[in-house]
């Protein structure tokens, strides 16, 4: 018996000790949670019920040089209803009037909304969807409706805001305007102006505190934000909508006609380097064309005959040959290390001057001019090429700029044919924008300026950053050389390879190019052509320079040369700018009055003199005049399209309220 009692006592002690140890462990754990890990768990609990959400800042707008909207942020609002937030008395008092009000904005009957609101309350729905994709005006009205005007906690209104980026002028220049996006892994990337100038456009995000009300559902704790978002600055681009429209459609027409793979066109203001238009169109599988790649900036390839201006500048500057120096074309073919250099014209041109060789784009003449004078010192010629910037990127603001390649005599790949091949634009690789920059330097009397896409950054009417002209090279060559180059470039159009483009109404100067691409490749890729034309206009007093390149024009169309494929695009742009504007080289009868212009001005002047108290009728008025008139009246103007006013968002005769926004549709 005594033994059994001892065993029982032993077991009791063992259990007691175990319970004591467990109690101590629980006590230690509780103390640890309370004093050591308490802050962590309290923070975790709070984060799971209340946390800050980011309010994205409104991006700044991107404007064209003439004030048209190229990209803007439009807020969309989603309205939901926390049916349990209002007290019963407040709900019953306001539900009918709230339903009546919602019916006026959302287009359904009052009885429909009353039914839905009551059903949501009966089902204890704390996240009932009322409406999506509302404008700011609609949101403002709804926020002031009965019950909702009591706020989130007392009225139950839940507002979600989403900002959408829109391009009012459509797809034109879409690739240059660009985008910013966040990928699935959370990393941001983008293209064009949107990405390059994001630090100005994006502004600073705000914060709003929300409380969890159900799984995946959160609502604001208070009506005020913890941190208000700061809107981004506006970016003023150099793009001119009118010139952009002309360039885009001129390129598109030619690509369609020649069933080409892709192409690009750039129009640049000679003195400043401001890019007034840039179009990059690639062909889709269904035969349509759209902007996919910024070919003008990103695509580096062999330029062909447009590179011959480099030859001319080098030999004239070094005075090793002159425009009058005569060369024998040897029946249209000469050989270097067993490799043939041929003229496109069979039989050659006989004996002709260097200037005439350039005008006719004779490969044999231009190669001799370079090879004969630099074969013993090729580095002297290549030094010129490097000095003119062809061996390095332009360092433009856009990412993805193509990498140029200029063979150097010190390279292992340099061979006996490197110099002669370079002379007619082969064995080198440069971007269209580099070629245009070089030609623009000639048009600009030897001053090479960097292409610019942005003129300033603004906050309303306040300039934050002014983008100044950037001179890359203040003097690419002597004034004497520039003068001679301008003559031969003008003669290319007057009596050379581009003579079909000549017009007595407006002068142009430039150079044709037809490069074979993928020649000699053994990887299965087919050889094709890149047809180009680059130059400036007017020829005597250049205002704009322009390059056009069309890749893979169909040879079945009977013409794949630069003059016939790319040249007409160049001519169409020059023609539209200087004849439709109108503007010409030579201005006569400055004092002569044009009845139509006088009538338009009188009409505009009369409207500006009247102190209008109502919205004027703008239909049929020039877009520029309409913007100026409305600006003087204190209205904010948004413009879509080009031309004359077709439609206005505020009807004529409405009371005029300053700072109101009016949308004009032009056509």
């Amino acid at each position: 018996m005594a033994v059994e009692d001892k065993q029982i006592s032993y077991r009791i002690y063992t259990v007691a000790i175990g319970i004591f140890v467990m109690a101590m462990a629980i006590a230690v754990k509780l103390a640890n949670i309370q004093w050591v890990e308490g802050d962590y768990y309290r923070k975790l609990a709070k984060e799971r019920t209340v946390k800050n959400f980011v309010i994205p800042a409104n991006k700044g707008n991107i404007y064209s040089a003439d004030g048209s909207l190229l990209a803007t942020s439009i807020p969309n609002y989603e309205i939901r209803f926390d049916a349990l937030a209002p007290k019963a008395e407040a709900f019953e008092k306001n539900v009918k009037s709230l339903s009546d009000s919602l019916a006026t904005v959302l287009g359904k009957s009052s009885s429909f909304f009353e039914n839905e609101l009551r059903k949501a309350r009966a089902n204890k729905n704390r996240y009932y969807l009322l409406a999506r994709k509302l404008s700011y005006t609609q949101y403002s009205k709804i926020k002031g409706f009965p019950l909702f005007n009591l706020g989130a906690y007392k009225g139950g209104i839940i507002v979600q805001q989403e900002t959408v980026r829109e391009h009012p002028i459509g797809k034109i220049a879409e690739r240059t305007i660009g985008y910013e996006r966040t990928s699935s892994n959370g990393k941001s990337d983008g293209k064009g102006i949107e990405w390059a100038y994001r630090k100005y456009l994006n502004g600073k995000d705000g914060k709003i505190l929300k409380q969890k009300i159900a799984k995946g559902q959160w609502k604001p704790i208070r009506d005020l934000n913890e941190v208000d978002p700061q809107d981004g600055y506006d970016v003023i681009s150099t793009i001119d909508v009118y010139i952009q429209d002309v360039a885009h459609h001129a390129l598109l027409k030619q690509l369609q006609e020649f069933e080409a793979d892709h192409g690009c066109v750039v129009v640049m203001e000679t003195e400043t380097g401001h890019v007034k238009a840039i179009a990059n169109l690639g062909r889709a599988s269904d035969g349509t064309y759209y902007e996919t790649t910024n070919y003008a900036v990103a695509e580096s390839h062999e330029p062909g005959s447009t590179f011959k201006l480099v030859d001319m500048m080098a030999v004239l500057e070094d005075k090793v040959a002159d425009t009058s120096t005569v060369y024998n074309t040897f029946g249209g073919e000469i050989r270097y290390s067993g490799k043939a250099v041929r003229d496109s014209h069979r039989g050659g041109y006989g004996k002709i001057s260097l200037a005439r060789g350039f005008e006719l784009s004779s490969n044999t003449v231009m190669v001799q001019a370079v090879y004969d004078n630099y074969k013993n010192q090729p580095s002297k010629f290549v030094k010129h090429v490097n000095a003119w910037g062809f061996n390095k990127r332009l360092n433009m603001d856009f990412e993805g700029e193509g990498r140029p390649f200029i063979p150097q005599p010190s390279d292992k790949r340099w061979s006996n044919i490197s110099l002669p091949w370079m002379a007619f634009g082969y064995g080198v690789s440069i971007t269209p924008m580099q070629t245009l920059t070089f030609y623009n330097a000639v048009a600009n009397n030897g001053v090479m300026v960097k292409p610019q896409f942005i003129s300033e950054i603004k906050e309303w009417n306040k300039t934050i950053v002014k983008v100044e002209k950037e001179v890359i090279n203040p003097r690419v060559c002597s004034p004497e050389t520039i003068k001679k180059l301008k003559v031969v470039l003008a003669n290319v159009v007057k009596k050379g390879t581009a003579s079909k483009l000549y017009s007595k109404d407006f002068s142009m100067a430039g150079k044709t190019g037809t490069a074979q691409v993928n020649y000699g490749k053994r990887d299965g890729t087919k050889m094709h052509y890149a047809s180009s034309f680059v130059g400036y206009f007017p020829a005597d007093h250049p205002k704009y320079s322009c390059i056009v390149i069309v890749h893979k024009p169909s040879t079945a169309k009977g013409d794949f040369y630069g003059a016939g494929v790319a040249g007409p695009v160049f001519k169409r742009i020059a023609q539209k700018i200087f004849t439709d504007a109108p503007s010409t080289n030579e201005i006569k009868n400055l004092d002569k009055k044009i009845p139509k212009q006088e009538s338009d001005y009188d009409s505009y002047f009369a409207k500006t003199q009247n102190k209008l108290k109502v919205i004027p009728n703008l239909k049929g008025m020039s877009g520029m005049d309409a913007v100026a008139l409305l600006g003087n009246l204190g209205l904010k103007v948004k413009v879509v399209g080009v031309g004359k006013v077709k439609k206005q968002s505020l009807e004529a005769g409405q009371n005029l309220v300053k700072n109101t926004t009016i949308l004009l549709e032009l056509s």
Side-chain angles (χ1 to χ4, degrees), residues 62-64 66-72 167-170 241 622-624 626-628 630 636-645 647 661-667:
I62 300 176
Y63 290 94
S64 67
D66 54 336
S68 298
L69 263 177
L70 299 179
T72 186
H167 293 174
I169 66 170
V241 171
S622 161
M624 294 178 66
V627 169
L630 294 172
K636 295 179 180 178
V637 188
K638 289 187 178 181
V639 178
V640 177
V642 180
K644 294 185 177 181
V645 178
K647 188 177 179 182
T661 299
I662 180 171
L663 176 66
L664 302 181
E665 293 183 21
L666 310 183
S667 64

Side-chain angles (χ1 to χ4, degrees), residues 595 597-607:
Q597 290 181 352
E598 291 297 309
S599 173
D600 288 347
Y601 178 77
D602 290 342
S603 173
Y604 171 73
F605 184 77
K607 287 181 178 179

